[in-house]
Amino acid sequence: MTKMKAVGLHRYLPITDPESLLDLEIPKPTPQDHDLLVRVQSISVNPVDTKVRSPKDRVEEQPKILGWDVAGIVEETGPKTTLFKKGDHVFYAGSITRQGANSEYHLVDERIVGRKPKTLSFPEAAALPLTSLTAWEALFDRLGIPETGNEKTNLLIIGAAGGVGSIAIQLAKRAGLTVIGTASRPESTDWIKERGADHVINHYEEFVPQLKQIALEHVDYILCLNRTDMHWDNMAKAIKPQGKICSIYETDEKLNLYPLFNKSVTFVWELMFTRAMFQTPDMMKQHEILNKISDLIDSGILKTTVNEVLSPINAENVRKGHAMLEEGKTIGKIVLEGF
């Protein structure tokens, strides 16, 4: 049986523990049905990695492999594939219900894979899939914002300097919206403005008084990318009547929906993994979205959000990426390159 290098875990431990992520050798998989076997060139780390890895009282007999952002080369195709062939350069986020991509080779359903942007390196491309899919689905599927013609509407993005926010700003500006991002540090404020945000407010202060300072009473849409429960009251006050709020940040706290009642406000969740997790009839849409993102990158309309590249892909560097994310001060994306 052919083996391949991977980074994974058996126990769910604090990232400071050297056994929280391990260098492993595991069997190289074989593609079935709609699968592509991808030779992984670059990966990136996301908050979902740290959430899955977070300490819990469970031991995995077979190694658990994390990682849901990939840029790589198709090595082999399954019998039902029609979209890609051996040698194609691809990028994708994958499925939370399957093994992750922190390995030399990775299986992924081709229906959630896009063609890698031609103008980007593998590390630059690996920064994009999960955050681009999340931002696109949140804005255009969940909030229902038209892809163009929004010159008279505005969007507040809470936690705009992270990976999803960095893409969401660019997509929202392309769609014509006025974008207000939140930040609390000079470096994150600068990053948000460089991505195209029109205004920046502080998410540790009341939203409405800050909005009034930029001549806004309320906002049409809110995209919450950080601590839904912490920002709930501020969001309820800031959203306009009949406005829409979308959050990607799950919460253990109960949310009081009543403040949204008089305003007839819509609240909706976005989880990028839903389509693959439930094999929804529109699962192929993620393939289409990633191809659109690729075209927008290659035409110079969108820019990659990579901010740091670590090499090689090994347990030490993946632990380093997780630790940086857990500090909660990450700007843009952390990418790893090469086994």
Side-chain angles (χ1 to χ4, degrees):
M1 184 180 291
T2 306
K3 297 279 189 176
M4 65 177 181
K5 293 178 182 177
V7 176
L9 61 84
H10 287 284
R11 295 185 296 151
Y12 296 85
L13 301 166
I15 199 60
T16 51
D17 191 312
E19 294 194 358
S20 59
L21 291 167
L22 303 166
D23 289 310
L24 304 167
E25 280 203 345
I26 61 174
K28 180 181 174 183
T30 301
Q32 307 292 330
D33 297 330
H34 294 280
D35 284 342
L36 305 175
L37 180 67
V38 175
R39 181 155 38 99
V40 175
Q41 302 296 303
S42 287
I43 60 171
S44 76
V45 292
N46 291 285
V48 64
D49 299 62
T50 65
K51 289 172 187 173
V52 173
R53 197 220 74 248
S54 63
K56 55 186 73 73
D57 188 20
R58 192 163 85 229
V59 176
E60 302 288 353
E61 201 169 305
Q62 298 299 319
K64 175 73 174 175
I65 311 300
L66 309 178
W68 292 280
D69 251 341
V70 182
I73 303 169
V74 176
E75 181 78 6
E76 195 177 337
T77 61
K80 294 184 180 178
T81 56
T82 60
L83 302 174
F84 297 98
K85 64 184 186 304
K86 180 182 172 74
D88 284 347
H89 290 195
V90 295
F91 74 149
Y92 58 90
S95 170
I96 194 75
T97 59
R98 304 183 73 174
Q99 286 281 45
N102 294 351
S103 54
E104 284 187 280
Y105 295 89
H106 182 240
L107 288 181
V108 62
D109 190 306
E110 70 168 356
R111 292 170 292 182
I112 55 173
V113 175
R115 60 178 180 273
K116 176 184 129 347
K118 295 187 178 81
T119 55
L120 296 187
S121 65
F122 284 105
E124 289 169 332
L128 290 167
L130 188 148
T131 55
S132 297
L133 286 166
T134 301
W136 188 287
E137 290 182 353
L139 295 177
F140 306 126
D141 293 347
R142 311 297 171 233
L143 289 173
I145 299 171
E147 288 185 39
T148 58
N150 299 284
E151 285 70 19
K152 294 182 179 180
T153 53
N154 52 56
L155 167 72
L156 173 63
I157 303 176
I158 300 170
V164 177
S166 300
I167 291 292
I169 292 169
Q170 297 179 69
L171 289 175
K173 288 305 299 176
R174 172 180 172 266
L177 292 121
T178 297
V179 177
I180 307 102
T182 79
S184 60
R185 295 175 292 141
E187 55 268 38
S188 51
T189 296
D190 291 344
W191 176 271
I192 290 169
K193 288 180 176 177
E194 287 168 7
R195 306 278 86 69
D198 299 284
H199 308 283
V200 181
I201 65 173
N202 192 316
H203 42 236
Y204 291 120
E205 299 175 11
E206 291 284 330
F207 290 175
V208 171
Q210 295 182 85
L211 290 173
K212 286 181 177 177
Q213 289 176 8
I214 55 175
L216 291 174
E217 288 290 326
H218 299 96
V219 289
D220 299 289
Y221 302 100
I222 297 177
L223 176 55
C224 182
L225 308 177
N226 181 276
R227 291 291 305 276
T228 306
D229 55 329
M230 184 175 96
H231 300 294
W232 186 253
D233 289 342
N234 260 327
M235 289 194 289
K237 293 172 185 174
I239 193 69
K240 71 178 288 188
Q242 301 184 87
K244 294 182 180 181
I245 301 171
C246 177
S247 179
I248 71 166
Y249 206 104
E250 72 274 28
T251 175
D252 294 326
E253 302 294 326
K254 290 183 178 179
L255 299 176
N256 178 16
L257 291 174
Y258 185 70
L260 308 185
F261 177 73
N262 284 343
K263 291 183 176 180
S264 298
V265 167
T266 299
F267 174 71
V268 63
W269 295 107
E270 156 61 16
L271 178 65
M272 187 278 307
F273 292 118
T274 296
R275 283 179 161 126
M277 186 186 300
F278 294 98
Q279 300 276 297
T280 60
D282 65 349
M283 182 174 164
M284 177 78 83
K285 189 166 182 187
Q286 290 202 336
H287 165 72
E288 296 164 1
I289 292 169
L290 286 171
N291 282 347
K292 286 181 182 178
I293 294 293
S294 187
D295 289 342
L296 290 171
I297 290 283
D298 286 339
S299 62
I301 294 170
L302 291 185
K303 292 182 171 57
T304 184
T305 56
V306 62
N307 200 29
E308 180 147 5
V309 180
L310 305 174
S311 185
I313 302 170
N314 59 23
E316 180 183 359
N317 280 332
V318 178
R319 284 197 300 270
K320 186 184 295 184
H322 279 226
M324 292 164 70
L325 280 180
E326 289 183 354
E327 285 177 11
K329 296 180 179 178
T330 306
I331 297 174
K333 292 296 296 291
I334 302 163
V335 173
L336 291 89
E337 177 183 22
F339 280 91

PDB file of all heavy atoms in Angstrom, residues 252-271:
ATOM      1  N   ASP A 252     -22.951  29.534  21.468  1.00  0.00           N
ATOM      2  CA  ASP A 252     -23.557  28.690  22.494  1.00  0.00           C
ATOM      3  C   ASP A 252     -24.598  29.462  23.299  1.00  0.00           C
ATOM      4  O   ASP A 252     -25.372  28.877  24.056  1.00  0.00           O
ATOM      5  CB  ASP A 252     -22.485  28.148  23.453  1.00  0.00           C
ATOM      6  CG  ASP A 252     -21.529  27.189  22.755  1.00  0.00           C
ATOM      7  OD1 ASP A 252     -21.994  26.470  21.848  1.00  0.00           O
ATOM      8  OD2 ASP A 252     -20.340  27.154  23.111  1.00  0.00           O
ATOM      9  N   GLU A 253     -24.578  30.790  23.149  1.00  0.00           N
ATOM     10  CA  GLU A 253     -25.542  31.635  23.856  1.00  0.00           C
ATOM     11  C   GLU A 253     -26.865  31.680  23.094  1.00  0.00           C
ATOM     12  O   GLU A 253     -26.889  31.660  21.870  1.00  0.00           O
ATOM     13  CB  GLU A 253     -24.989  33.064  24.000  1.00  0.00           C
ATOM     14  CG  GLU A 253     -23.652  33.153  24.735  1.00  0.00           C
ATOM     15  CD  GLU A 253     -23.764  32.763  26.181  1.00  0.00           C
ATOM     16  OE1 GLU A 253     -24.823  33.042  26.783  1.00  0.00           O
ATOM     17  OE2 GLU A 253     -22.813  32.163  26.716  1.00  0.00           O
ATOM     18  N   LYS A 254     -27.966  31.733  23.826  1.00  0.00           N
ATOM     19  CA  LYS A 254     -29.264  31.889  23.183  1.00  0.00           C
ATOM     20  C   LYS A 254     -29.401  33.312  22.663  1.00  0.00           C
ATOM     21  O   LYS A 254     -29.095  34.270  23.369  1.00  0.00           O
ATOM     22  CB  LYS A 254     -30.388  31.570  24.169  1.00  0.00           C
ATOM     23  CG  LYS A 254     -30.479  30.092  24.536  1.00  0.00           C
ATOM     24  CD  LYS A 254     -31.656  29.823  25.453  1.00  0.00           C
ATOM     25  CE  LYS A 254     -31.758  28.338  25.781  1.00  0.00           C
ATOM     26  NZ  LYS A 254     -32.896  28.062  26.700  1.00  0.00           N
ATOM     27  N   LEU A 255     -29.868  33.434  21.427  1.00  0.00           N
ATOM     28  CA  LEU A 255     -30.055  34.755  20.826  1.00  0.00           C
ATOM     29  C   LEU A 255     -31.511  35.189  20.990  1.00  0.00           C
ATOM     30  O   LEU A 255     -32.426  34.431  20.663  1.00  0.00           O
ATOM     31  CB  LEU A 255     -29.686  34.720  19.345  1.00  0.00           C
ATOM     32  CG  LEU A 255     -28.242  34.334  19.010  1.00  0.00           C
ATOM     33  CD1 LEU A 255     -28.061  34.238  17.505  1.00  0.00           C
ATOM     34  CD2 LEU A 255     -27.256  35.330  19.603  1.00  0.00           C
ATOM     35  N   ASN A 256     -31.705  36.392  21.469  1.00  0.00           N
ATOM     36  CA  ASN A 256     -33.042  36.954  21.638  1.00  0.00           C
ATOM     37  C   ASN A 256     -33.488  37.588  20.329  1.00  0.00           C
ATOM     38  O   ASN A 256     -33.043  38.686  19.972  1.00  0.00           O
ATOM     39  CB  ASN A 256     -33.034  37.986  22.767  1.00  0.00           C
ATOM     40  CG  ASN A 256     -34.394  38.634  22.954  1.00  0.00           C
ATOM     41  OD1 ASN A 256     -35.401  38.128  22.466  1.00  0.00           O
ATOM     42  ND2 ASN A 256     -34.412  39.750  23.654  1.00  0.00           N
ATOM     43  N   LEU A 257     -34.369  36.915  19.610  1.00  0.00           N
ATOM     44  CA  LEU A 257     -34.812  37.408  18.309  1.00  0.00           C
ATOM     45  C   LEU A 257     -35.816  38.554  18.419  1.00  0.00           C
ATOM     46  O   LEU A 257     -36.086  39.243  17.430  1.00  0.00           O
ATOM     47  CB  LEU A 257     -35.437  36.264  17.495  1.00  0.00           C
ATOM     48  CG  LEU A 257     -34.483  35.172  17.009  1.00  0.00           C
ATOM     49  CD1 LEU A 257     -35.283  34.053  16.352  1.00  0.00           C
ATOM     50  CD2 LEU A 257     -33.459  35.721  16.035  1.00  0.00           C
ATOM     51  N   TYR A 258     -36.372  38.776  19.605  1.00  0.00           N
ATOM     52  CA  TYR A 258     -37.439  39.761  19.727  1.00  0.00           C
ATOM     53  C   TYR A 258     -37.051  41.166  19.250  1.00  0.00           C
ATOM     54  O   TYR A 258     -37.870  41.840  18.607  1.00  0.00           O
ATOM     55  CB  TYR A 258     -37.955  39.830  21.166  1.00  0.00           C
ATOM     56  CG  TYR A 258     -39.137  40.759  21.299  1.00  0.00           C
ATOM     57  CD1 TYR A 258     -40.380  40.416  20.759  1.00  0.00           C
ATOM     58  CD2 TYR A 258     -38.999  42.000  21.908  1.00  0.00           C
ATOM     59  CE1 TYR A 258     -41.460  41.275  20.838  1.00  0.00           C
ATOM     60  CE2 TYR A 258     -40.072  42.876  21.995  1.00  0.00           C
ATOM     61  CZ  TYR A 258     -41.296  42.501  21.457  1.00  0.00           C
ATOM     62  OH  TYR A 258     -42.363  43.364  21.531  1.00  0.00           O
ATOM     63  N   PRO A 259     -35.812  41.655  19.527  1.00  0.00           N
ATOM     64  CA  PRO A 259     -35.473  43.008  19.033  1.00  0.00           C
ATOM     65  C   PRO A 259     -35.572  43.158  17.517  1.00  0.00           C
ATOM     66  O   PRO A 259     -35.638  44.275  17.009  1.00  0.00           O
ATOM     67  CB  PRO A 259     -34.023  43.198  19.506  1.00  0.00           C
ATOM     68  CG  PRO A 259     -33.904  42.330  20.703  1.00  0.00           C
ATOM     69  CD  PRO A 259     -34.746  41.111  20.393  1.00  0.00           C
ATOM     70  N   LEU A 260     -35.604  42.040  16.784  1.00  0.00           N
ATOM     71  CA  LEU A 260     -35.737  42.098  15.326  1.00  0.00           C
ATOM     72  C   LEU A 260     -37.200  42.127  14.881  1.00  0.00           C
ATOM     73  O   LEU A 260     -37.488  42.401  13.715  1.00  0.00           O
ATOM     74  CB  LEU A 260     -35.049  40.889  14.673  1.00  0.00           C
ATOM     75  CG  LEU A 260     -33.600  40.594  15.063  1.00  0.00           C
ATOM     76  CD1 LEU A 260     -33.070  39.439  14.219  1.00  0.00           C
ATOM     77  CD2 LEU A 260     -32.713  41.815  14.918  1.00  0.00           C
ATOM     78  N   PHE A 261     -38.122  41.849  15.812  1.00  0.00           N
ATOM     79  CA  PHE A 261     -39.527  41.659  15.439  1.00  0.00           C
ATOM     80  C   PHE A 261     -40.174  42.916  14.878  1.00  0.00           C
ATOM     81  O   PHE A 261     -40.738  42.910  13.772  1.00  0.00           O
ATOM     82  CB  PHE A 261     -40.311  41.166  16.666  1.00  0.00           C
ATOM     83  CG  PHE A 261     -41.779  41.006  16.421  1.00  0.00           C
ATOM     84  CD1 PHE A 261     -42.255  39.951  15.648  1.00  0.00           C
ATOM     85  CD2 PHE A 261     -42.689  41.909  16.944  1.00  0.00           C
ATOM     86  CE1 PHE A 261     -43.617  39.799  15.422  1.00  0.00           C
ATOM     87  CE2 PHE A 261     -44.054  41.766  16.720  1.00  0.00           C
ATOM     88  CZ  PHE A 261     -44.521  40.706  15.955  1.00  0.00           C
ATOM     89  N   ASN A 262     -40.119  44.015  15.619  1.00  0.00           N
ATOM     90  CA  ASN A 262     -40.793  45.240  15.167  1.00  0.00           C
ATOM     91  C   ASN A 262     -40.239  45.750  13.845  1.00  0.00           C
ATOM     92  O   ASN A 262     -40.949  46.402  13.076  1.00  0.00           O
ATOM     93  CB  ASN A 262     -40.673  46.339  16.232  1.00  0.00           C
ATOM     94  CG  ASN A 262     -41.608  46.108  17.410  1.00  0.00           C
ATOM     95  OD1 ASN A 262     -42.554  45.335  17.311  1.00  0.00           O
ATOM     96  ND2 ASN A 262     -41.339  46.764  18.532  1.00  0.00           N
ATOM     97  N   LYS A 263     -38.977  45.469  13.590  1.00  0.00           N
ATOM     98  CA  LYS A 263     -38.350  45.924  12.342  1.00  0.00           C
ATOM     99  C   LYS A 263     -38.554  44.934  11.187  1.00  0.00           C
ATOM    100  O   LYS A 263     -38.111  45.199  10.068  1.00  0.00           O
ATOM    101  CB  LYS A 263     -36.841  46.129  12.551  1.00  0.00           C
ATOM    102  CG  LYS A 263     -36.466  47.300  13.445  1.00  0.00           C
ATOM    103  CD  LYS A 263     -34.941  47.411  13.494  1.00  0.00           C
ATOM    104  CE  LYS A 263     -34.478  48.614  14.302  1.00  0.00           C
ATOM    105  NZ  LYS A 263     -32.999  48.718  14.335  1.00  0.00           N
ATOM    106  N   SER A 264     -39.177  43.779  11.452  1.00  0.00           N
ATOM    107  CA  SER A 264     -39.320  42.733  10.420  1.00  0.00           C
ATOM    108  C   SER A 264     -37.976  42.397   9.783  1.00  0.00           C
ATOM    109  O   SER A 264     -37.826  42.316   8.561  1.00  0.00           O
ATOM    110  CB  SER A 264     -40.324  43.162   9.343  1.00  0.00           C
ATOM    111  OG  SER A 264     -41.606  43.346   9.894  1.00  0.00           O
ATOM    112  N   VAL A 265     -36.969  42.205  10.635  1.00  0.00           N
ATOM    113  CA  VAL A 265     -35.603  41.944  10.161  1.00  0.00           C
ATOM    114  C   VAL A 265     -35.402  40.450   9.913  1.00  0.00           C
ATOM    115  O   VAL A 265     -35.878  39.608  10.683  1.00  0.00           O
ATOM    116  CB  VAL A 265     -34.575  42.460  11.194  1.00  0.00           C
ATOM    117  CG1 VAL A 265     -33.171  41.927  10.900  1.00  0.00           C
ATOM    118  CG2 VAL A 265     -34.566  43.980  11.211  1.00  0.00           C
ATOM    119  N   THR A 266     -34.729  40.117   8.836  1.00  0.00           N
ATOM    120  CA  THR A 266     -34.361  38.738   8.525  1.00  0.00           C
ATOM    121  C   THR A 266     -33.005  38.423   9.151  1.00  0.00           C
ATOM    122  O   THR A 266     -32.053  39.180   8.998  1.00  0.00           O
ATOM    123  CB  THR A 266     -34.255  38.536   7.002  1.00  0.00           C
ATOM    124  OG1 THR A 266     -35.520  38.805   6.407  1.00  0.00           O
ATOM    125  CG2 THR A 266     -33.820  37.120   6.654  1.00  0.00           C
ATOM    126  N   PHE A 267     -32.926  37.259   9.840  1.00  0.00           N
ATOM    127  CA  PHE A 267     -31.629  36.771  10.323  1.00  0.00           C
ATOM    128  C   PHE A 267     -31.383  35.400   9.715  1.00  0.00           C
ATOM    129  O   PHE A 267     -32.261  34.538   9.706  1.00  0.00           O
ATOM    130  CB  PHE A 267     -31.587  36.663  11.849  1.00  0.00           C
ATOM    131  CG  PHE A 267     -30.321  36.031  12.364  1.00  0.00           C
ATOM    132  CD1 PHE A 267     -29.117  36.738  12.299  1.00  0.00           C
ATOM    133  CD2 PHE A 267     -30.309  34.737  12.853  1.00  0.00           C
ATOM    134  CE1 PHE A 267     -27.934  36.157  12.735  1.00  0.00           C
ATOM    135  CE2 PHE A 267     -29.129  34.161  13.294  1.00  0.00           C
ATOM    136  CZ  PHE A 267     -27.942  34.869  13.240  1.00  0.00           C
ATOM    137  N   VAL A 268     -30.185  35.195   9.186  1.00  0.00           N
ATOM    138  CA  VAL A 268     -29.861  33.933   8.507  1.00  0.00           C
ATOM    139  C   VAL A 268     -28.420  33.534   8.808  1.00  0.00           C
ATOM    140  O   VAL A 268     -27.545  34.380   9.006  1.00  0.00           O
ATOM    141  CB  VAL A 268     -30.089  34.080   6.978  1.00  0.00           C
ATOM    142  CG1 VAL A 268     -29.152  35.131   6.379  1.00  0.00           C
ATOM    143  CG2 VAL A 268     -29.931  32.751   6.262  1.00  0.00           C
ATOM    144  N   TRP A 269     -28.188  32.229   8.881  1.00  0.00           N
ATOM    145  CA  TRP A 269     -26.836  31.699   9.059  1.00  0.00           C
ATOM    146  C   TRP A 269     -26.213  31.374   7.703  1.00  0.00           C
ATOM    147  O   TRP A 269     -26.924  31.068   6.745  1.00  0.00           O
ATOM    148  CB  TRP A 269     -26.853  30.397   9.871  1.00  0.00           C
ATOM    149  CG  TRP A 269     -27.305  30.490  11.279  1.00  0.00           C
ATOM    150  CD1 TRP A 269     -28.495  30.044  11.791  1.00  0.00           C
ATOM    151  CD2 TRP A 269     -26.573  31.029  12.383  1.00  0.00           C
ATOM    152  NE1 TRP A 269     -28.547  30.279  13.141  1.00  0.00           N
ATOM    153  CE2 TRP A 269     -27.385  30.880  13.540  1.00  0.00           C
ATOM    154  CE3 TRP A 269     -25.315  31.628  12.520  1.00  0.00           C
ATOM    155  CZ2 TRP A 269     -26.978  31.298  14.800  1.00  0.00           C
ATOM    156  CZ3 TRP A 269     -24.906  32.046  13.775  1.00  0.00           C
ATOM    157  CH2 TRP A 269     -25.726  31.882  14.898  1.00  0.00           C
ATOM    158  N   GLU A 270     -24.890  31.379   7.665  1.00  0.00           N
ATOM    159  CA  GLU A 270     -24.140  30.881   6.508  1.00  0.00           C
ATOM    160  C   GLU A 270     -23.078  29.905   6.984  1.00  0.00           C
ATOM    161  O   GLU A 270     -22.250  30.233   7.843  1.00  0.00           O
ATOM    162  CB  GLU A 270     -23.473  32.026   5.739  1.00  0.00           C
ATOM    163  CG  GLU A 270     -22.254  31.637   4.895  1.00  0.00           C
ATOM    164  CD  GLU A 270     -22.525  30.618   3.791  1.00  0.00           C
ATOM    165  OE1 GLU A 270     -23.688  30.376   3.418  1.00  0.00           O
ATOM    166  OE2 GLU A 270     -21.534  30.042   3.300  1.00  0.00           O
ATOM    167  N   LEU A 271     -23.131  28.686   6.457  1.00  0.00           N
ATOM    168  CA  LEU A 271     -22.064  27.702   6.664  1.00  0.00           C
ATOM    169  C   LEU A 271     -21.646  27.189   5.300  1.00  0.00           C
ATOM    170  O   LEU A 271     -22.457  26.570   4.587  1.00  0.00           O
ATOM    171  CB  LEU A 271     -22.535  26.542   7.549  1.00  0.00           C
ATOM    172  CG  LEU A 271     -21.493  25.439   7.765  1.00  0.00           C
ATOM    173  CD1 LEU A 271     -20.285  25.961   8.540  1.00  0.00           C
ATOM    174  CD2 LEU A 271     -22.103  24.239   8.482  1.00  0.00           C
TER     175      LEU A 271
END
